């Protein structure tokens, strides 16, 4: 299970302020995507969304809240691949808070549906403050995972990717940007209030309703295979729902049967085993004892970001995203 690092490592606000960065004035997520080569310098983006996160947060003091939030719609937390925000890439999930504070429901952006399954099994929610343009400090909810550098030798253990057909490989090869320093820290990661690597923003976070909790359909052990579907209507993958405040999204409950089928077939879609193996090295342990340590600052949550663009061009992008499901990047 993930160990909590020293308190001195936990201030996300100080990371954003201390980062020395040249002026950056992004107009859309495409400007973030154009920085790919500056973000991933040692390998591909597989399971390395923590580097997207830190690139943005190091420049947060230059960004208004709405622009910061927009930038976090531009990549997939699980695969690390660039995404374009749309109704088809926005998914609603219900996940546990790391501090034992119960379930929260919110939105994440993905490259494809298998990321829903991996999120249910490994991603949890924590908080952290960010210093924005003009010195404004806001508290956000974040999607976090355990620290794989709690056990670095695991990155060199051989495994077989289900769809490569090329024999054994290692995380050191397939997820080359998941690197550890001599002190057991994930290089380039920004940490949440309770010391976990941040891999995405958790948009529009709010306490889960009873229906959302049942639709999350995740058993106590976190296994997608043992999840029990509890949707009021039959699951329909690809169906777009709409929240009471007008946000369109795909609900995780639509993919329960597909997640179980994917597991039965050896996780043979999406990122395959790569993200799962990285996240399973040191899974986040939910502990009620963390509640006493949680920061007591005022809570400011994000709102879901609407799709960038409108009209025929945006509709074409959404249709393209709906049909795409990139596998792991090979380099």
């Amino acid at each position: 299970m993930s160990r909590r690092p020293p308190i001195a490592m936990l201030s996300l606000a100080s990371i954003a302020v201390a980062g020395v960065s040249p002026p950056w004035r992004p107009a859309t997520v495409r400007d973030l995507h154009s920085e790919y080569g500056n973000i991933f310098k040692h390998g591909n983006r597989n399971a390395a969304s923590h580097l997207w996160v830190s690139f943005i947060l190091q420049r947060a003091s230059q960004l208004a809240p709405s622009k910061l939030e927009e930038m976090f719609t531009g990549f997939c937390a699980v695969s690390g691949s660039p995404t374009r925000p749309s109704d088809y890439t926005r998914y609603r999930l219900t996940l546990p808070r790391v501090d034992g504070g119960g379930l929260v429901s919110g939105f994440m952006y993905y490259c494809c549906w298998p990321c829903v399954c991996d999120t249910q099994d490994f991603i949890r929610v924590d908080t952290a403050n960010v210093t924005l343009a003009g010195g404004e400090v806001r508290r956000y909810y974040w999607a976090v995972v355990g620290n794989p550098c709690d056990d670095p030798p695991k990155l060199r253990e051989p495994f077989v990717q289900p769809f490569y057909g090329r024999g054994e490989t290692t995380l050191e090869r397939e997820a080359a940007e998941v690197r550890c320093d001599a002190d057991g820290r994930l290089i380039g990661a920004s940490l949440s209030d309770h010391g976990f690597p941040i891999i995405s923003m958790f948009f529009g976070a709010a306490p889960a309703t009873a229906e959302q909790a049942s639709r999350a359909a995740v058993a106590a052990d976190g296994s997608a295979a043992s999840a029990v579907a509890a949707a009021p209507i039959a699951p329909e993958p690809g169906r777009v729902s709409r929240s009471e405040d007008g946000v369109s999204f795909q609900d995780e409950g639509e993919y329960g049967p597909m997640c179980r089928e994917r597991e039965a077939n050896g996780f043979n879609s999406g990122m395959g085993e790569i993200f799962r193996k990285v996240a399973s090295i040191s899974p986040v342990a939910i502990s009620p004892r963390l509640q006493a340590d949680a920061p007591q600052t005022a809570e400011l949550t994000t709102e879901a970001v609407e799709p960038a663009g409108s009209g025929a061009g945006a509709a074409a992008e959404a249709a393209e995203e709906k049909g795409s499901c990139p596998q792991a990047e090979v380099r």
Side-chain angles (χ1 to χ4, degrees), residues 33-101:
H33 299 164
S34 70
E35 300 285 352
Y36 188 99
N38 295 322
I39 297 171
F40 303 102
K41 299 179 179 180
H42 301 277
N44 55 45
R45 45 74 180 170
N46 294 342
S49 290
H50 61 282
L51 297 181
W52 288 114
V53 169
S54 291
F55 180 88
I56 298 170
L57 291 178
Q58 287 167 359
R59 292 154 180 80
S61 62
Q62 305 178 42
L63 304 176
S66 60
K67 187 58 64 177
L68 176 90
E69 294 156 18
E70 179 186 350
M71 291 301 102
F72 276 99
T73 69
F75 61 93
C76 175
V78 172
S79 71
S81 62
T83 61
R84 288 174 293 197
S86 77
D87 295 346
Y88 295 108
T89 61
R90 186 189 301 109
Y91 293 76
R92 186 176 70 183
L93 298 105
T94 299
L95 301 172
R97 291 180 56 141
V98 303
D99 62 4

Side-chain angles (χ1 to χ4, degrees), residues 92 116 120 215-217 229 231 234-236 250-257:
R92 186 176 70 183
V116 171
Q120 291 172 337
R215 285 180 67 82
E236 183 181 320
Q250 295 192 67
D251 190 271
E252 64 180 333
E254 309 285 12
Y255 292 94

Side-chain angles (χ1 to χ4, degrees), residues 272-295:
E273 289 276 21
I274 296 176
F275 174 83
R276 299 184 64 84
K277 284 195 171 293
V278 170
S280 66
I281 290 175
S282 184
V284 175
I286 306 297
S287 172
R289 290 177 298 177
L290 293 181
Q291 289 181 306
D293 300 330

